Amino acid sequence: MDGQVAPRTDETATGVAESEARITALLAAQKAGWATDVTPSHATRDDRLARLDRMVEAWHERFITAISEDFGNRPAVVTTLTDIVPVRAAIRHARRQLRAWMRPRRVSLAWTGKPASAQILRQPLGVVGIVGPWNYPLNLVLSPLIGALAAGNRAMLKPSELTPAFSQALALAVAETFAEDEVAVVTGGPDVATAFTAAPFDHLVFTGSTAVGRKVVEAAAKNLTPVTLELGGKSPVILDPSVDFDKAVPRLVWGKLLNSGQTCVAPDYALVPLGRVADFLSAVKAEVERQYPGLPANADYTSIISARHFARLTQLVEEARDRGAEVVELGGAHDAEGRVFAPVAVIGAPEDTGVMAEEIFGPILAVVAYDTLDEAIAYINRRDRPLALYWFGEDKAAETRVLTGTIAGGVTINDTLLHLAQDDLPFGGVGASGYGAYHGEAGFLTFSKEKPVLKQSAISGVKFLYPPYGRVASFMLKLLGRLG
Ligand code: NAD
């Protein structure tokens, strides 16, 4: 399902061994640090979040430059919009909510438990390991970190080897901001990542492909380390017959082409009513030309992360064309050297072609014509559960049928991507698109142990159940059986 490019690594055996030793030493230092302050105060957590915010502010221009270097070209606006601004907003949100999130929850007891009292304490788990992908390299490493720090944990970060300039900048920024036993960065490729995920963290967050996610879960299982898996997949867009293309298509094109489709929640394929495909394609083409005129010479358009990824996208289109799909160029031309992949629609590709079987993760829009809504819903439900689902239309009954008839990690109605940008909406996949969630309080809870605590009172009826068992115990059991 992933369709990701096989990782290439230049890691040397000595380099990997050094990284392994560093991972072990850092984890030991962080666990020792944790033991000196098992449940940090509000002030300690707030200070860590404030330092993180200052770090992003101070380094944001260097991060923007480094990320653009890694991509070949990534506009400053895109990195500011998708990496810098959401992270800083999430830090502010966490700082505002922190006291409320930390507060113990009082729980009322059944009469059989009274007059004892009970509460749930929210405590940190310890040390959280965070493994990130390349596509939003800052956001997808620091967003989980915000939840982890808010919940009182320490953390180790492993950013992607495909963004080496950014990873280097992040390592320097973090080293300047945090003690190594609070937050630390480990850099490296799959071999280092393998060692990282085999380390006995108290929790792991993995954002990446489904194939690698499986390996991470296997490695973590050996230590019984719980994992939050943020994976990808094919996110559908349903265009309802009641849709107004003038309203829907600009939003769809924006969500598809932001970061050139290298977005986990990007619309992957569009389900379009039979008989309206031609109108849809001409609306998409006009909108692509409006948002990104003159491709490949358009600085607002993000390049593809590597030549291997560019070659993969080219091959997806060629395979679909060879297998009888219609390929429609949506505007401009490719520039292989600059890794500018001009947007393309692929219509009616067979199910077993890469474009229909794998997550596209690039500026190729697959188009599938459907007849009835039931058919569109069944098409989605036959496949792996998607990370995101989008529906465009005006017909409220159809909207309800789609919402209740499908399962997805998250949904935006009449737009794309935006459910992800809300701190109070939990973000996470389901089935093959992952499990667990974070963002806002959901993240705080993911990185916390909710510890139930019962405080017994001076008077307790439990003594009537002590042995030796006689008539009193029998009477009590009858009472509990009836009223308990
Ligand atoms: P990837 O799985 O190739 O790599 C992700 C991370 O895993 C990298 O840091 C890499 O070093 C590490 N890694 C590689 N091999 C490993 C191993 N054997 N054990 C442990 N870690 C290993 O993914 P990618 O290409 O960087 O990212 C693209 C994928 O990520 C897409 O499928 C996309 O949908 C998904 N994604 C999901 C989200 C989300 O929030 N759900 C966000 C962004 C991307």
Side-chain angles (χ1 to χ4, degrees), residues 2 4-5 7 131-136 140 158-162 188-197 206-213 215-216 219 229-233 262-265 309 359 361 387 420 427-429 433 438:
D2 309 290
Q4 298 305 305
V5 176
V131 180
W134 52 265
N135 61 331
Y136 293 98
L140 295 169
K158 210 302 279 170
S160 170
E161 64 282 7
L162 289 178
D191 290 343
V192 172
T194 302
F196 190 92
T197 51
F206 171 80
T207 306
S209 59
T210 303
V212 175
K215 295 186 193 170
V216 171
L229 268 190
E230 300 284 345
L231 309 177
Q262 301 168 108
T263 302
C264 55
V265 288
H309 289 75
E359 177 181 7
F361 221 58
L387 182 59
L420 186 64
F427 175 62
S433 56
Y438 71 106

Coordinates of all heavy atoms in Angstrom, one line a residue, residues 2 4-5 7 131-136 140 158-162 188-197 206-213 215-216 219 229-233 262-265 309 359 361 387 420 427-429 433 438, ligand 1:
D2 N 2.1 1.1 0.4 CA 2.9 2.4 0.7 C 3.4 3.0 -0.6 O 3.3 4.2 -0.8 CB 4.1 2.1 1.6 CG 3.6 1.4 2.8 OD1 2.9 2.0 3.6 OD2 3.9 0.2 2.9
Q4 N 6.2 3.5 -1.3 CA 7.3 4.4 -1.1 C 8.6 3.8 -1.7 O 8.7 2.6 -2.0 CB 7.5 4.6 0.4 CG 6.3 5.2 1.1 CD 5.9 6.5 0.4 OE1 6.7 7.4 0.3 NE2 4.7 6.6 0.0
V5 N 9.5 4.7 -1.9 CA 10.8 4.3 -2.6 C 11.7 3.6 -1.6 O 11.7 4.0 -0.4 CB 11.5 5.6 -3.0 CG1 12.8 5.3 -3.6 CG2 10.6 6.3 -4.0
P7 N 14.5 2.7 0.7 CA 15.4 3.6 1.3 C 16.9 3.3 0.8 O 17.2 2.2 0.7 CB 15.3 3.4 2.8 CG 14.7 2.1 3.0 CD 13.9 1.8 1.7
V131 N 10.0 9.3 15.9 CA 10.6 9.1 14.6 C 9.8 9.8 13.5 O 8.6 9.6 13.5 CB 10.7 7.6 14.2 CG1 11.4 7.4 12.9 CG2 11.5 6.9 15.3
G132 N 10.4 10.7 12.7 CA 9.7 11.5 11.8 C 10.0 11.2 10.3 O 11.0 10.6 10.0
P133 N 9.1 11.6 9.5 CA 9.3 11.5 8.0 C 9.9 12.8 7.4 O 10.1 13.8 8.2 CB 7.8 11.3 7.5 CG 7.0 12.2 8.4 CD 7.7 12.2 9.7
W134 N 10.0 12.8 6.1 CA 10.7 14.0 5.5 C 9.7 15.1 5.0 O 10.1 16.2 4.7 CB 11.5 13.6 4.3 CG 10.8 12.7 3.3 CD1 10.8 11.3 3.3 CD2 9.9 13.1 2.3 NE1 10.0 10.9 2.3 CE2 9.4 12.0 1.6 CE3 9.5 14.4 1.8 CZ2 8.6 12.0 0.5 CZ3 8.7 14.4 0.7 CH2 8.2 13.2 0.1
N135 N 8.4 14.7 4.9 CA 7.5 15.6 4.1 C 7.2 16.9 4.8 O 7.1 18.0 4.2 CB 6.3 14.9 3.6 CG 5.4 14.3 4.6 OD1 5.9 14.0 5.7 ND2 4.1 14.2 4.3
Y136 N 6.9 16.9 6.1 CA 6.8 18.1 6.9 C 7.7 17.9 8.1 O 7.3 17.6 9.2 CB 5.3 18.3 7.4 CG 4.4 18.6 6.2 CD1 3.7 17.6 5.6 CD2 4.4 19.8 5.7 CE1 2.9 17.8 4.5 CE2 3.6 20.1 4.5 CZ 2.8 19.1 4.0 OH 2.1 19.4 2.9
L140 N 6.2 17.4 12.0 CA 5.9 16.0 12.4 C 6.9 15.4 13.4 O 6.7 14.3 13.9 CB 5.8 15.1 11.1 CG 4.6 15.6 10.3 CD1 4.6 14.9 8.9 CD2 3.3 15.3 11.0
K158 N 14.2 11.4 16.2 CA 14.9 10.9 15.0 C 14.3 11.4 13.8 O 13.3 10.8 13.3 CB 14.9 9.4 15.1 CG 16.2 8.7 14.5 CD 16.5 9.1 13.1 CE 15.7 8.2 12.1 NZ 15.8 8.8 10.7
P159 N 14.7 12.6 13.2 CA 14.2 13.1 12.0 C 14.7 12.2 10.8 O 15.5 11.4 10.9 CB 14.7 14.5 11.9 CG 16.0 14.5 12.7 CD 15.8 13.4 13.8
S160 N 14.1 12.5 9.6 CA 14.4 11.7 8.4 C 15.7 12.0 7.8 O 16.2 13.1 7.8 CB 13.3 12.0 7.4 OG 13.7 11.4 6.2
E161 N 16.3 10.9 7.3 CA 17.6 11.1 6.6 C 17.4 11.8 5.2 O 18.4 12.2 4.6 CB 18.3 9.7 6.4 CG 17.5 8.7 5.5 CD 16.4 8.0 6.2 OE1 16.0 8.4 7.3 OE2 15.8 7.1 5.5
L162 N 16.2 11.9 4.8 CA 16.0 12.5 3.5 C 16.0 14.1 3.6 O 15.9 14.8 2.6 CB 14.7 12.0 2.8 CG 14.8 10.6 2.3 CD1 13.4 10.1 1.8 CD2 15.8 10.4 1.3
G188 N 20.3 10.0 11.4 CA 20.8 8.8 10.7 C 19.6 8.2 9.8 O 18.5 8.7 9.9
G189 N 20.0 7.2 9.1 CA 19.1 6.5 8.2 C 18.4 5.3 8.8 O 18.3 5.2 10.0
P190 N 17.9 4.4 7.9 CA 17.1 3.3 8.4 C 17.8 2.4 9.5 O 17.2 1.9 10.4 CB 16.9 2.5 7.2 CG 17.0 3.4 6.0 CD 18.0 4.5 6.5
D191 N 19.2 2.3 9.3 CA 19.9 1.4 10.3 C 19.9 2.1 11.7 O 19.6 1.4 12.7 CB 21.3 1.2 9.9 CG 21.4 0.2 8.7 OD1 20.4 -0.4 8.4 OD2 22.4 0.2 8.0
V192 N 20.1 3.4 11.7 CA 20.0 4.1 13.0 C 18.6 4.1 13.5 O 18.3 3.9 14.7 CB 20.5 5.6 12.8 CG1 20.3 6.4 14.1 CG2 22.0 5.6 12.5
A193 N 17.6 4.3 12.6 CA 16.2 4.3 13.0 C 15.8 2.9 13.6 O 15.0 2.8 14.5 CB 15.3 4.6 11.8
T194 N 16.4 1.8 13.0 CA 16.1 0.5 13.5 C 16.6 0.4 14.9 O 15.9 -0.1 15.8 CB 16.7 -0.6 12.6 OG1 16.2 -0.4 11.3 CG2 16.4 -2.0 13.1
A195 N 17.8 0.8 15.2 CA 18.4 0.8 16.5 C 17.5 1.7 17.5 O 17.3 1.3 18.6 CB 19.8 1.2 16.5
F196 N 17.1 2.8 17.0 CA 16.3 3.7 17.8 C 15.0 3.1 18.2 O 14.7 3.1 19.4 CB 16.1 5.0 16.9 CG 15.5 6.2 17.6 CD1 16.3 7.1 18.2 CD2 14.1 6.3 17.7 CE1 15.7 8.3 18.8 CE2 13.5 7.4 18.4 CZ 14.4 8.4 18.9
T197 N 14.3 2.5 17.3 CA 13.0 1.9 17.6 C 13.1 0.6 18.4 O 12.1 0.1 19.0 CB 12.1 1.7 16.4 OG1 12.9 1.0 15.4 CG2 11.7 3.0 15.8
F206 N 5.7 7.0 15.8 CA 6.3 6.8 14.5 C 5.4 7.5 13.4 O 4.2 7.1 13.3 CB 6.5 5.3 14.2 CG 6.9 5.1 12.7 CD1 8.2 5.3 12.4 CD2 6.0 4.8 11.7 CE1 8.6 5.2 11.0 CE2 6.4 4.6 10.4 CZ 7.7 4.8 10.1
T207 N 5.9 8.4 12.6 CA 5.2 8.9 11.5 C 6.0 8.5 10.3 O 7.1 8.9 10.1 CB 5.1 10.5 11.6 OG1 4.5 10.8 12.9 CG2 4.2 11.0 10.5
G208 N 5.3 7.8 9.4 CA 6.0 7.4 8.2 C 5.1 6.4 7.4 O 3.8 6.4 7.5
S209 N 5.7 5.5 6.6 CA 5.0 4.6 5.8 C 4.4 3.4 6.5 O 5.0 3.0 7.6 CB 5.9 4.2 4.6 OG 7.0 3.5 5.2
T210 N 3.4 2.8 5.9 CA 2.8 1.7 6.6 C 3.8 0.5 6.7 O 3.9 -0.2 7.7 CB 1.5 1.3 5.8 OG1 0.7 2.4 5.7 CG2 0.8 0.1 6.4
A211 N 4.6 0.3 5.6 CA 5.6 -0.8 5.6 C 6.6 -0.6 6.7 O 6.8 -1.6 7.5 CB 6.3 -0.8 4.2
V212 N 7.1 0.5 6.9 CA 8.1 0.7 8.0 C 7.4 0.7 9.3 O 7.9 0.2 10.3 CB 8.9 2.0 7.8 CG1 9.8 2.3 8.9 CG2 9.7 2.0 6.5
G213 N 6.2 1.2 9.4 CA 5.4 1.2 10.6 C 5.3 -0.2 11.2 O 5.4 -0.4 12.4
K215 N 7.4 -2.6 10.9 CA 8.7 -3.0 11.5 C 8.9 -2.3 12.8 O 9.4 -2.9 13.8 CB 9.9 -2.6 10.6 CG 9.9 -3.3 9.2 CD 11.1 -2.8 8.5 CE 11.1 -3.3 7.0 NZ 12.1 -2.7 6.2
V216 N 8.4 -1.1 12.9 CA 8.5 -0.3 14.2 C 7.7 -1.1 15.3 O 8.2 -1.2 16.4 CB 8.1 1.1 14.0 CG1 8.0 1.8 15.3 CG2 9.0 1.9 13.0
A219 N 9.5 -4.2 16.4 CA 10.7 -3.8 17.3 C 10.2 -3.4 18.7 O 10.8 -3.8 19.7 CB 11.5 -2.8 16.6
L229 N 1.1 5.1 15.9 CA 1.5 5.0 14.5 C 0.8 5.9 13.6 O -0.5 5.8 13.5 CB 1.1 3.6 14.1 CG 2.1 2.4 14.2 CD1 1.5 1.2 13.5 CD2 3.5 2.7 13.8
E230 N 1.5 6.9 13.1 CA 0.9 7.9 12.2 C 1.3 7.5 10.8 O 2.4 7.9 10.4 CB 1.4 9.3 12.6 CG 1.0 9.7 14.0 CD -0.5 10.1 14.1 OE1 -1.1 10.3 13.1 OE2 -1.0 10.1 15.3
L231 N 0.5 6.8 10.1 CA 0.9 6.3 8.7 C 0.2 7.0 7.6 O -0.5 8.0 7.8 CB 0.6 4.8 8.7 CG 1.2 4.0 9.9 CD1 0.8 2.5 9.8 CD2 2.7 4.1 10.0
G232 N 0.2 6.5 6.4 CA -0.4 7.1 5.3 C -1.5 6.3 4.7 O -2.1 5.5 5.3
G233 N -1.6 6.4 3.3 CA -2.6 5.6 2.6 C -3.3 6.4 1.6 O -2.8 7.5 1.3
Q262 N 2.9 15.9 -1.6 CA 3.7 15.1 -0.7 C 3.2 15.3 0.7 O 3.9 15.8 1.6 CB 5.2 15.5 -0.8 CG 5.7 15.2 -2.3 CD 7.1 15.9 -2.5 OE1 8.1 15.2 -2.7 NE2 7.2 17.2 -2.6
T263 N 2.0 15.0 0.9 CA 1.3 15.3 2.2 C 0.5 14.0 2.6 O -0.2 13.4 1.7 CB 0.3 16.4 2.0 OG1 1.0 17.6 1.5 CG2 -0.5 16.8 3.2
C264 N 0.6 13.6 3.8 CA 0.0 12.3 4.2 C -1.5 12.4 4.1 O -2.1 11.4 3.7 CB 0.3 12.0 5.7 SG -0.1 13.4 6.8
V265 N -2.1 13.6 4.2 CA -3.6 13.7 4.1 C -4.0 14.3 2.8 O -5.2 14.7 2.6 CB -4.2 14.5 5.3 CG1 -4.2 13.7 6.6 CG2 -3.5 15.8 5.5
H309 N 12.3 9.5 -5.9 CA 10.9 9.8 -5.8 C 10.3 10.3 -7.1 O 9.2 10.0 -7.5 CB 10.6 10.7 -4.6 CG 10.8 10.1 -3.3 ND1 12.1 9.9 -2.8 CD2 10.0 9.6 -2.3 CE1 12.0 9.3 -1.6 NE2 10.7 9.2 -1.3
E359 N -0.2 4.4 -2.2 CA -0.4 5.9 -1.9 C 0.4 6.7 -2.9 O 1.6 6.4 -3.1 CB 0.2 6.1 -0.4 CG 0.1 7.6 0.0 CD 0.7 7.8 1.4 OE1 1.3 6.8 2.0 OE2 0.6 8.9 1.9
F361 N 1.3 10.1 -3.2 CA 2.3 10.9 -2.5 C 3.0 11.9 -3.5 O 4.2 12.0 -3.4 CB 3.3 10.1 -1.7 CG 3.6 10.7 -0.4 CD1 2.7 10.9 0.6 CD2 4.9 11.0 0.0 CE1 3.0 11.5 1.8 CE2 5.3 11.6 1.2 CZ 4.3 11.8 2.1
L387 N -6.4 7.6 5.9 CA -6.1 8.6 6.9 C -7.0 9.7 6.9 O -7.4 10.3 8.0 CB -4.6 9.0 6.6 CG -4.0 10.0 7.6 CD1 -4.0 9.4 9.1 CD2 -2.6 10.4 7.2
L420 N -6.8 18.8 10.1 CA -5.5 18.6 10.7 C -5.0 19.8 11.5 O -4.2 19.7 12.4 CB -4.6 18.3 9.5 CG -3.2 17.9 9.8 CD1 -3.1 16.6 10.5 CD2 -2.4 17.7 8.5
F427 N -5.7 13.9 16.0 CA -5.2 13.5 14.7 C -4.6 12.2 14.8 O -3.7 11.9 15.6 CB -4.2 14.6 14.2 CG -3.6 14.2 12.9 CD1 -4.4 14.0 11.8 CD2 -2.2 13.9 12.8 CE1 -3.8 13.6 10.5 CE2 -1.7 13.5 11.6 CZ -2.5 13.3 10.5
G428 N -5.1 11.3 13.9 CA -4.5 9.9 13.9 C -5.2 9.1 12.9 O -6.3 9.4 12.4
G429 N -4.6 8.0 12.5 CA -5.3 7.1 11.5 C -6.1 6.0 12.1 O -6.3 5.9 13.4
S433 N -3.9 3.0 8.2 CA -3.4 4.4 8.3 C -2.9 4.7 9.7 O -2.5 5.9 9.9 CB -4.4 5.4 7.8 OG -5.6 5.3 8.4
Y438 N -2.8 12.2 18.4 CA -2.2 13.3 19.2 C -2.8 14.6 18.7 O -3.8 14.6 18.0 CB -0.7 13.2 19.2 CG 0.0 13.6 17.9 CD1 0.7 14.8 17.7 CD2 0.0 12.7 16.8 CE1 1.3 15.1 16.6 CE2 0.7 13.0 15.6 CZ 1.3 14.2 15.5 OH 2.0 14.6 14.4
Ligands
NAD1 P1 9.4 6.2 5.9 O1 8.6 5.2 6.5 O2 10.3 5.8 4.7 O3 10.4 6.9 6.9 C1 10.0 7.5 8.1 C2 11.0 7.4 9.2 O4 11.3 6.0 9.5 C3 12.4 8.0 8.8 O5 12.9 8.7 9.9 C4 13.3 6.7 8.6 O6 14.6 6.9 8.9 C5 12.7 5.8 9.6 N1 12.9 4.3 9.2 C6 13.3 3.8 8.1 N2 13.4 2.5 8.2 C7 13.1 2.2 9.5 C8 13.1 0.9 10.2 N3 13.4 -0.2 9.6 N4 12.7 1.0 11.5 C9 12.4 2.2 12.1 N5 12.4 3.3 11.4 C10 12.8 3.4 10.1 O7 8.4 7.4 5.5 P2 8.7 8.7 4.7 O8 9.0 8.4 3.3 O9 9.7 9.5 5.4 O10 7.3 9.4 4.8 C11 6.3 9.2 3.9 C12 5.2 8.3 4.5 O11 4.8 8.9 5.7 C13 3.9 8.3 3.7 O12 3.3 7.1 3.7 C14 3.0 9.3 4.4 O13 1.7 9.2 4.2 C15 3.4 9.1 5.8 N6 3.1 10.2 6.6 C16 2.1 10.1 7.6 C17 1.8 11.2 8.4 C18 0.8 11.1 9.4 O14 0.8 12.1 10.3 N7 0.0 10.1 9.5 C19 2.5 12.4 8.2 C20 3.4 12.5 7.2 C21 3.8 11.4 6.4

